[in-house]
Amino acid sequence: MIEVTILDFLNAHLSVPTYTDRQNEMPASYIIFEKTGGSKRNHLLSGTFAFQSYGQSKYEAGMLNEELKRVVEGLITLDVIGGVSLNSDYDFTDTETKEYRYQAVFDINYY
């Protein structure tokens, strides 16, 4: 499952923990990601993944987003990854919970 590969890679290379689901107690800064879509073409799988970087301030969330983007691009070094492309990233502060976050969306090809 590609999500496990990405989760393990991020937790080994980021300065904050990464999750695929919210936990009962979350740290001050963290990342949550999910697969939002996928396809298969010529035996190559492709997925769209949304990564949300949470911080205690907008600046901290933005800096974490920059770190995340560098690390996600490093996934290309894994044998199971065929391509990594940043689709978009933007301020995604949650106005309901007042949590500062940025979101980066990547298209990732994998085997």
Side-chain angles (χ1 to χ4, degrees), residues 31-36 48-52 90 103-106:
I31 291 172
I32 290 183
F33 80 96
E34 65 181 326
K35 183 177 179 184
T36 60
T48 301
F49 296 85
F51 299 85
Q52 296 176 1
Y90 44 89
Q103 181 161 284
V105 179
F106 280 87

Side-chain angles (χ1 to χ4, degrees), residues 14-26:
L14 285 170
S15 62
V16 299
T18 302
Y19 305 97
T20 55
D21 294 302
R22 271 199 173 281
Q23 309 299 303
N24 288 336
E25 292 187 28
M26 300 301 287

Side-chain angles (χ1 to χ4, degrees), residues 7-109:
L7 181 65
D8 290 346
F9 188 86
L10 295 180
N11 277 322
H13 292 89
L14 285 170
S15 62
V16 299
T18 302
Y19 305 97
T20 55
D21 294 302
R22 271 199 173 281
Q23 309 299 303
N24 288 336
E25 292 187 28
M26 300 301 287
S29 297
Y30 59 94
I31 291 172
I32 290 183
F33 80 96
E34 65 181 326
K35 183 177 179 184
T36 60
S39 65
K40 183 177 181 180
R41 186 174 181 170
N42 296 325
H43 305 284
L44 181 62
L45 297 166
S46 178
T48 301
F49 296 85
F51 299 85
Q52 296 176 1
S53 301
Y54 288 81
Q56 292 185 302
S57 67
K58 188 179 284 196
Y59 175 78
E60 186 179 309
M63 293 303 293
L64 183 55
N65 182 61
E66 292 302 315
E67 177 187 356
L68 168 81
K69 291 188 298 183
R70 285 190 302 276
V71 171
V72 170
E73 288 171 348
L75 284 166
I76 195 66
T77 62
L78 301 176
D79 290 339
V80 297
I81 303 296
V84 177
S85 175
L86 178 63
N87 182 307
S88 63
D89 73 309
Y90 44 89
D91 177 10
F92 196 50
T93 298
D94 188 331
T95 56
E96 195 171 297
T97 64
K98 307 295 188 231
E99 290 180 291
Y100 296 107
R101 66 181 177 183
Y102 270 71
Q103 181 161 284
V105 179
F106 280 87
D107 298 314
I108 301 174
N109 298 326

